[in-house]
Amino acid sequence: MARVESGIQSSATQARVDSWTWAVRLFKTRSAAAEACRGGHVRVNGATAKPAQPVRPGDEVRIRVSGVERIVVVERIITKRVSAPLAAQCLIDRSPAPPPREISAAMPRRDRGAGRPTKRERRETDRLMGRTEH
């Protein structure tokens, strides 16, 4: 029999990690969650997780998306996507705080076009160095 607590139905004691991470809104789509698992970006209790790996209440799930690591602990098992306030009740977020804006602003960034020279720039350099075939 399914339990209903504040709009969340939970009848299972475990769920697939890709389904659970999608249901609690850590990924936009279930296929994105499965792809992250296959790519090694999802860990359950310290071990790399495959998409079908089961998660249970109390498990620690670590997700690396866009260079940011999210650390959550499974509080409740759900397999259907719910609203954000209800999804927040299904996990405990233990993610580290993001760095202050001053530090992230001070990080060096490469200017656009400052990497490898373009073909046009290489030709101009060759012309200046006298290496043209004309």
Side-chain angles (χ1 to χ4, degrees), residues 42-78:
V42 178
R43 294 177 160 270
V44 176
N45 297 326
T48 304
K50 292 183 179 178
Q53 180 171 339
V55 290
R56 295 173 182 84
D59 285 350
E60 179 186 73
V61 180
R62 290 176 176 257
I63 299 168
R64 188 153 195 84
V65 179
S66 303
V68 178
E69 186 172 40
R70 299 272 318 261
I71 303 168
V72 296
V73 176
V74 179
E75 187 72 17
R76 288 193 187 128
I77 298 296
I78 59 172

Side-chain angles (χ1 to χ4, degrees), residues 74-89:
V74 179
E75 187 72 17
R76 288 193 187 128
I77 298 296
I78 59 172
T79 55
K80 299 290 182 187
R81 196 163 170 99
V82 293
S83 67
L86 294 178
Q89 297 174 5

